[in-house]
Amino acid sequence: MKSVMGSEADYRTINFEETELRLALPGSSGSGNDNESVKSSGKRGFCHTESVDLKLNLSTATTTKDSKTDETAKMKEKNVALPSNDPAKPPAKAQVVGWPPVRSFRKNVMAVQKNGTGENEKAATISTTAVTAAAYVKVSMDGAPYLRKVDLKLYKSYQELSNALGKMFSSFTIGNCGSQGMKDFINESKLIDLLSGSEYVPTYEDKDGDWMLVGDVPWEMFVNSCKRLRIMKGSEAIGLAPRAVEKCKNRS
Amino acid sequence: MSEDDDRSPPLDLRGADIAESSSKTRNCSGVTGFVAGPGPSTMEFQAPYPDQVLENVLENVLQFLSTRRDRNAASLVCKSWCRVEALTRSELFIGNCYSVSPQRATARFARVQAVAIKGRPRFADFNLLPPGWGAHFAPWVIAMAKAYPWLEKVYLKRMSVSNDDLARLAESFPSFKELVLVCCEGFGTNGLAAVASKCRLLRVLDLIESEVSGGELDWIASFPESGASCLESLIFDCVEWPINFEALERLVVRSPSLKKLRLNRFVSIGQLYRLMVRAPQLTHIGTGSFSAPEGVAQDDPEPDYTAAFAACKSYANINAEQLKSVILHCHKLQTFWVLDSICDEGLQAVAATCKDLRELRVFPIDAQENTEGPVSEVGLRAISEGCRKLQSILYFCQHMTNEAVITMSNNCPDLEVFRLCIMGRHRPDHVTREPMDEGFGAIVRNCKKLTRLAVSGLLTDRAFNYIGKYGKLVRTLSVAFAGDSDMGLKYVLEGCPRLQKLEIRDSPFGDAALLSGLHHYYNMRFLWMSSCSLSPQGCQEIARALPRLVVETIKDENEERVDDTVGTLYMYRSLEGPRDDAPGFVTILQ
């Protein structure tokens, strides 16, 4: 599955649009690591007793700068064109990398222009840091046959990422990340409470190749060290918490 | 298809490259033909003399050949002509850096003063090629440092250039005058500092849409502080780092020949104004840092001050009203690059005034697939009616009609470049709901000079049938999300004898179509096919059938391929065989 599309630079200038995608999940193949190599054979073991209709209504919070648009700014995600949407064409691959064919340099320039950074030095400095390469990471969810891609640079906090992921995989909940952030997971007992159901847990692979719980480290550090995201079934994530906390302690 | 900076470099880049041969039956070894050697033995004692005269005459005559197409033709006459042509060629164009090695090129052409090298395939600009693919400048600069110490000009496009490369360049060529880097990456401001400080005769330093990393050296301040500078053109709008404005101002003041100056967005309007006051000789000025309604026109070549100020390549977000007040003065406007924020109305204003317009590019402010957009067939039709001399157009829109495209094909017979990007994939004519076949068909049929075409929207094989049938001069073709079956590609490969560059993505063309082009691939610079229906076996067959073709399959790490199809095929003719600098994600089939 190919990457999602989006302007690569300044997240504040993303013009969002609502997209609706319906995926019928036949079920997972069991072990989360097989997500990438799952073939769409249709015959798969069922983890859940029923197939999950994953309705992905993609939207995120309005960005602060994009005051022109009346509608709530939404994250634009493009995915597989399903037969139900376009019966005339076979389902296209989810390939929107590089489409429309506008160079990222030019997108950056236009993004800056849209923002009207003008002569403001501060804005220029902010734009400098914003106009950097996107940090696309794969996001897999146990049980989903398709991976997604997100640009971590589009978000300013775990909260925003959580919202986006939540919308992306709507049956996935991060529990009460809403108000307290994901740091709650450091509390092991709470984690176990959450995990004892079939809650999903966001984890990520860091630069060292270790699988960590999302939320332990400061956001910036996370963006720089996260190589891929995996939304694990709660039952598999239990073992992570102690290691994650250890690692965080070692770092700080 | 896409927006592409096609501004012509200092050298003549039209025409064939050095490795091209025009006959289908020739192999790639370059030179065939008989040798005008000595005659029968009775004439032997005279034999060297006529040859020498011939060569001297030839050398003098061939000096006048400037275009590389002419020179390539001359070099194919016979060995003697080939030799003399090689000695007198001063501008070397390498269309694909892997088609020939630096050693071979420098061995053949001994007296080169200007070099142009192109590297990565164009779709790399849209993230379709993983980073690290190749196209390194290093082996070229090392070879040229030895072979061409008198080198004056270097033009690079889509190459990987390091700071070391730039330092070596600065140190190796005492007469160096012009450096133009288009869509390059791998270097930073430290490399620029080396060039600025060591190249005392530097006239042109143009950085166009390149990725420049930071560094601790102040490159603007690295230009020699004393004496007049020879600088004629300084373009650095793509440099995403603040610059030393005082040093820039001093530089501009001591550069009496400076005509073109394009600044980056870290120069404010006030600073820009200061520069313009200090340098009234500027004809082209640009900046990326303001939102005032300055125009985005590039005037060509009017030194009029008002027009000069309007001559910026900055993509200011201006609307139709703002544009109108400026554009109605620009009667002589020939080249116009603009954002679609001016809407159809703005394009109508352009059409009403700019009767001499030759090149138009309309870029999308919002580069996403939407249902509505600010420009449409209305703007295109208006342009076609007002700007009859149009030669080149790049037009991004959300939807289009066949009627407007047909109208343009009839109104603008001089069109050489037609690139229409309907951003909605597979989108039909939004009025008739039919495919866009007829529109593009009309373009290839009516625009007899068409050499470059980019197609979009809903297209069936019929569109490709038209291209194959009528697009006899087409050299570059870009296809995305189009076609129904192998026939589409077959039509093109079998019908377009001049086709040199073919880039296709996300179209249902498979092995059978690929095989139908075997007769032609040696005549092409490259073929790119990504996310099509090719199998490794099919690509392997091509590699086996054509030993002088380098067939690369590229696995995109972003991809999750469940079946066996090839992610990306990139193949090109080469005299050198498989390259030795291919990264892990490239497989070269043999």
Side-chain angles (χ1 to χ4, degrees):
Chain A
M1 176 151 171
K2 298 251 174 160
S3 324
V4 301
M5 189 198 119
S7 294
E8 281 149 306
D10 193 346
Y11 57 81
R12 290 168 295 181
T13 63
I14 301 293
N15 217 352
F16 300 133
E17 207 185 83
E18 186 175 11
T19 317
E20 194 180 310
L21 173 71
R22 287 196 192 89
L23 283 178
L25 288 182
S28 81
S29 55
S31 159
N33 287 334
D34 288 342
N35 271 352
E36 299 91 87
S37 54
V38 158
K39 295 201 189 264
S40 41
S41 60
K43 293 180 187 170
R44 239 178 269 143
F46 275 53
C47 238
H48 307 278
T49 52
E50 58 201 344
S51 53
V52 177
D53 205 334
L54 193 70
K55 188 169 171 179
L56 302 180
N57 208 353
L58 309 170
S59 54
T60 57
T62 315
T63 59
T64 49
K65 295 256 174 164
D66 199 6
S67 51
K68 275 173 119 183
T69 54
D70 226 2
E71 70 217 351
T72 51
K74 304 205 162 98
M75 165 71 128
K76 182 160 176 108
E77 299 268 338
K78 294 288 288 190
N79 300 287
V80 178
L82 300 173
S84 56
N85 288 345
D86 192 351
K89 280 271 168 197
K93 292 205 172 115
Q95 167 61 291
V96 288
V97 172
W99 187 264
V102 179
R103 288 212 198 99
S104 52
F105 162 76
R106 195 152 272 144
K107 274 191 199 163
N108 294 348
V109 171
M110 296 188 305
V112 169
Q113 290 309 317
K114 272 169 72 177
N115 240 15
T117 45
E119 306 164 65
N120 188 332
E121 264 311 302
K122 181 160 170 283
T125 323
I126 293 170
S127 300
T128 313
T129 52
V131 179
T132 48
Y136 279 105
V137 298
K138 291 184 203 174
V139 183
S140 62
M141 183 173 93
D142 290 1
Y146 298 102
L147 276 69
R148 305 297 305 276
K149 262 226 165 143
V150 289
D151 178 2
L152 293 179
K153 294 267 168 81
L154 297 179
Y155 309 104
K156 292 189 287 269
S157 66
Y158 284 116
Q159 184 56 59
E160 287 186 15
L161 176 63
S162 165
N163 290 343
L165 291 179
K167 302 290 182 354
M168 211 185 286
F169 299 99
S170 65
S171 66
F172 148 63
T173 54
I174 314 185
N176 49 353
C177 263
S179 41
Q180 290 128 348
M182 299 184 193
K183 293 202 189 260
D184 274 273
F185 285 126
I186 294 177
N187 181 332
E188 201 173 33
S189 59
K190 194 154 198 168
L191 173 63
I192 290 172
D193 285 343
L194 279 161
L195 299 182
S196 58
S198 39
E199 290 281 352
Y200 284 83
V201 171
T203 63
Y204 71 101
E205 184 181 7
D206 71 358
K207 279 183 180 154
D208 304 330
D210 295 321
W211 284 93
M212 316 285 294
L213 267 180
V214 173
D216 292 345
V217 299
W219 173 253
E220 285 300 326
M221 194 190 293
F222 166 71
V223 171
N224 288 332
S225 61
C226 172
K227 292 296 149 209
R228 62 184 297 161
L229 277 159
R230 177 181 158 199
I231 302 165
M232 297 173 85
K233 283 194 301 304
S235 45
E236 289 193 44
I238 288 179
L240 280 180
R243 284 211 317 271
V245 171
E246 252 335 284
K247 196 147 188 174
C248 188
K249 280 187 200 150
N250 290 342
R251 280 224 185 92
S252 48
Chain B
M1 96 154 69
S2 84
E3 43 78 38
D4 191 359
D5 188 329
D6 253 0
R7 136 178 349 103
S8 31
L11 314 176
D12 167 34
L13 293 185
R14 295 170 199 83
D17 11 332
I18 62 163
E20 180 186 277
S21 66
S22 48
S23 158
K24 292 180 185 181
T25 56
R26 287 199 223 277
N27 63 21
C28 282
S29 63
V31 179
T32 64
F34 66 95
V35 176
S41 53
T42 52
M43 304 268 281
E44 228 168 70
F45 70 96
Q46 282 180 18
Y49 184 66
D51 261 359
Q52 211 169 341
V53 170
L54 177 65
E55 294 222 352
N56 288 342
V57 168
L58 262 181
E59 204 167 318
N60 284 307
V61 167
L62 290 185
Q63 305 274 17
F64 293 98
L65 288 185
S66 52
T67 72
R68 62 176 192 270
R69 190 181 279 138
D70 290 343
R71 289 192 151 268
N72 291 350
S75 73
L76 292 173
V77 168
C78 62
K79 275 214 174 106
S80 156
W81 280 51
C82 182
R83 196 166 45 240
V84 176
E85 190 285 311
L87 286 175
T88 56
R89 190 184 291 225
S90 63
E91 292 179 359
L92 182 60
F93 173 78
I94 312 284
N96 173 3
C97 62
Y98 288 120
S99 63
V100 66
S101 70
Q103 289 70 33
R104 190 188 295 263
T106 54
R108 177 173 167 185
F109 300 103
R111 303 202 196 135
V112 167
Q113 286 182 318
V115 168
I117 309 173
K118 294 188 174 182
R120 272 186 297 280
R122 203 174 65 95
F123 275 2
D125 291 353
F126 317 118
N127 300 326
L128 293 183
L129 194 65
W133 176 82
H136 303 287
F137 181 47
W140 289 93
V141 70
I142 291 169
M144 293 192 302
K146 284 197 217 95
Y148 309 139
W150 45 78
L151 192 71
E152 293 184 5
K153 304 181 192 180
V154 167
Y155 170 95
L156 302 177
K157 189 166 190 180
R158 293 193 190 97
M159 297 286 292
S160 286
V161 183
S162 71
N163 282 338
D164 286 344
D165 298 336
L166 291 178
R168 189 185 293 265
L169 183 147
E171 274 151 22
S172 310
F173 307 119
S175 318
F176 196 73
K177 296 195 171 77
E178 296 186 15
L179 180 63
V180 180
L181 301 176
V182 181
C183 300
C184 295
E185 45 79 36
F187 64 99
T189 49
N190 286 1
L192 298 178
V195 173
S197 63
K198 301 223 174 77
C199 302
R200 298 290 162 131
L201 301 177
L202 195 67
R203 291 198 296 231
V204 172
L205 180 57
D206 289 351
L207 307 169
I208 296 161
E209 297 188 23
S210 294
E211 237 177 85
V212 183
S213 59
E216 70 277 8
L217 297 179
D218 181 342
W219 67 282
I220 293 279
S222 299
F223 283 96
E225 288 271 344
S226 58
S229 92
C230 317
L231 217 52
E232 292 172 14
S233 172
L234 181 62
I235 296 178
F236 62 94
D237 52 331
C238 60
V239 176
E240 287 291 319
W241 304 95
I243 52 132
N244 179 340
F245 179 74
E246 284 68 37
L248 177 65
E249 199 174 8
R250 287 196 298 274
L251 176 63
V252 167
V253 163
R254 63 174 189 275
S255 305
S257 315
L258 189 64
K259 293 274 186 313
K260 290 190 194 179
L261 182 62
R262 271 174 35 194
L263 314 163
N264 66 10
R265 58 189 178 83
F266 295 95
V267 179
S268 67
I269 302 186
Q271 290 172 326
L272 172 63
Y273 181 70
R274 260 166 72 184
L275 286 177
M276 290 174 60
V277 165
R278 307 297 288 273
Q281 76 277 15
L282 289 170
T283 58
H284 290 71
I285 191 161
T287 173
S289 89
F290 56 71
S291 56
E294 261 64 40
V296 292
Q298 180 179 0
D299 218 285
D300 205 47
E302 195 52 44
D304 169 47
Y305 201 69
T306 319
F309 189 63
C312 356
K313 277 279 179 69
S314 85
Y315 296 94
N317 186 355
I318 61 176
N319 59 29
E321 282 314 309
Q322 293 164 324
L323 175 73
K324 277 184 195 172
S325 55
V326 173
I327 206 74
L328 54 89
H329 300 294
C330 302
H331 299 277
K332 291 194 186 177
L333 195 61
Q334 294 201 332
T335 303
F336 191 39
W337 293 24
V338 71
L339 289 175
D340 63 3
S341 53
I342 63 166
C343 303
D344 287 329
E345 204 188 327
L347 290 173
Q348 286 165 331
V350 172
T353 313
C354 308
K355 298 303 178 187
D356 215 22
L357 195 69
R358 306 294 160 112
E359 179 182 326
L360 173 67
R361 300 197 189 192
V362 181
F363 296 101
I365 268 210
D366 183 15
Q368 301 192 9
E369 295 181 62
N370 292 322
T371 44
E372 290 302 318
V375 298
S376 68
E377 71 276 5
V378 172
L380 192 74
R381 196 186 303 117
I383 292 288
S384 79
E385 280 158 8
C387 310
R388 299 294 176 114
K389 298 190 191 172
L390 200 64
Q391 289 171 352
S392 169
I393 183 165
L394 168 63
Y395 197 86
F396 281 83
C397 56
Q398 291 295 343
H399 46 71
M400 184 50 60
T401 62
N402 282 309
E403 181 268 328
V405 178
I406 294 171
T407 303
M408 176 160 270
S409 78
N410 285 321
N411 289 346
C412 305
D414 290 339
L415 271 178
E416 294 171 28
V417 173
F418 185 79
R419 298 156 71 191
L420 176 62
C421 181
I422 302 169
M423 292 191 275
R425 294 171 288 157
H426 309 298
R427 211 165 265 176
D429 178 323
H430 77 103
V431 167
T432 66
R433 311 303 301 166
E434 282 175 6
M436 292 299 299
D437 297 341
E438 296 307 316
F440 286 103
I443 290 287
V444 285
R445 202 167 34 238
N446 299 334
C447 302
K448 310 265 194 276
K449 303 182 190 176
L450 195 76
T451 55
R452 181 169 181 181
L453 179 64
V455 300
S456 60
L458 180 67
L459 292 170
T460 71
D461 288 342
R462 172 182 242 144
F464 297 98
N465 192 359
Y466 288 142
I467 296 173
K469 205 164 160 196
Y470 299 109
K472 295 305 177 186
L473 296 184
V474 170
R475 289 205 299 263
T476 307
L477 178 63
S478 293
V479 177
F481 305 100
D484 299 323
S485 74
D486 284 344
M487 284 315 297
L489 182 54
K490 274 191 188 172
Y491 288 138
V492 169
L493 289 172
E494 286 165 4
C496 299
R498 297 282 178 97
L499 192 63
Q500 286 185 7
K501 300 182 259 182
L502 180 55
E503 48 192 23
I504 303 173
R505 65 171 287 186
D506 295 274
S507 300
F509 306 135
D511 297 342
L514 190 65
L515 283 169
S516 68
L518 276 177
H519 65 285
H520 189 63
Y521 292 136
Y522 277 157
N523 296 334
M524 290 177 64
R525 190 182 296 174
F526 69 80
L527 169 65
W528 167 289
M529 287 178 68
S530 59
S531 302
C532 297
S533 307
L534 299 172
S535 75
Q537 295 74 27
C539 300
Q540 184 82 70
E541 236 185 290
I542 302 284
R544 258 187 233 120
L546 301 173
R548 296 287 200 161
L549 211 62
V550 174
V551 179
E552 296 190 13
T553 57
I554 295 157
K555 182 173 156 47
D556 186 359
E557 51 161 26
N558 296 330
E559 233 174 86
E560 304 293 334
R561 225 153 246 288
V562 291
D563 51 17
D564 202 26
T565 58
V566 165
T568 298
L569 166 71
Y570 180 58
M571 61 191 211
Y572 49 90
R573 63 188 173 188
S574 172
L575 297 175
E576 311 303 338
R579 58 191 176 109
D580 54 12
D581 63 357
F585 54 81
V586 169
T587 307
I588 300 184
L589 302 178
Q590 285 170 297

